[in-house]
Amino acid sequence: RADGILEVALHTRGGPPLDVQVRIETVAHDDVIGALLDDRVDVALACKPDKRMDAVATLPLFDDEMVAVVPIDHPWATRPHLRRGDLDGTHLILFDAYDPTRVPPLPLPLPDGGRPARITTTPTVSELVVELVAAGQGIGILPGWVASPYTATGRVATVRLSRTPQTRTWYATWRQEDQPAHIVTLVDILRDHFADRPLPAAV
């Protein structure tokens, strides 16, 4: 819905439906742990390192892999992975979460030693990144599962950032002392949904 409320029926295992609504919220500066500790959200999905992770309950859900997105006719498009130095001097297109001027900044999703000449950040709209890449404006970096639907169009291709997959672990997080039925149930739904998700395979 336009108000951000997701209409779902939550049922405890073997029990009656719960009288709750699920509202999807975005959190400023991706500070999801802070939002949990401030009681602004009840359950959050987190993937970036945060020193306060020890202050909340966490459940690993799945790993995803960051990949380079290039035009379909790019010389890298048929490679199994990038080589050391390939990203030196390039123009990278990233989500604005990776804006180097942001405080606190997120580490750029690059292999060690990568030195791009220019970084352009965009709103978190994957189609915008893909359109810029397809138009030859630069190299995008996206999670593989985000980029996958666009490779089917035949306009872009993905390539691993290095021989070793650049992966992130996503967690469900919630306040340790907060265990009402609706939170337990939602965490169970997330666990079940991602239970069969394959992990990125090593090269």
Side-chain angles (χ1 to χ4, degrees), residues 75-98:
W76 299 349
T78 57
R79 289 192 192 172
H81 58 81
L82 299 187
R83 302 165 189 158
R84 186 174 181 84
D86 277 344
L87 292 174
D88 293 354
T90 57
H91 174 203
L92 292 185
I93 302 169
L94 306 174
F95 288 152
D96 56 10
Y98 295 102

Side-chain angles (χ1 to χ4, degrees), residues 163-180:
R163 182 182 297 274
T164 302
Q166 304 290 305
T167 61
R168 309 175 298 176
T169 299
W170 285 84
Y171 300 86
T173 61
W174 63 99
R175 289 178 293 277
Q176 292 180 355
E177 73 283 359
D178 206 357
Q179 301 286 332

Side-chain angles (χ1 to χ4, degrees), residues 92-182:
L92 292 185
I93 302 169
L94 306 174
F95 288 152
D96 56 10
Y98 295 102
D99 185 346
T101 65
R102 203 176 75 155
V103 179
L106 281 182
L108 296 178
L110 301 179
D112 290 341
R115 294 184 177 87
R118 178 183 169 197
I119 295 174
T120 296
T121 58
T122 75
T124 308
V125 180
S126 53
E127 187 171 355
L128 177 57
V129 173
V130 171
E131 288 299 324
L132 289 171
V133 168
Q137 298 301 303
I139 305 300
I141 297 181
L142 292 172
W145 62 272
V146 172
S148 179
Y150 299 101
T151 61
T153 67
R155 300 176 63 213
V156 295
T158 60
V159 56
R160 280 185 165 158
L161 293 175
S162 61
R163 182 182 297 274
T164 302
Q166 304 290 305
T167 61
R168 309 175 298 176
T169 299
W170 285 84
Y171 300 86
T173 61
W174 63 99
R175 289 178 293 277
Q176 292 180 355
E177 73 283 359
D178 206 357
Q179 301 286 332
H182 68 278

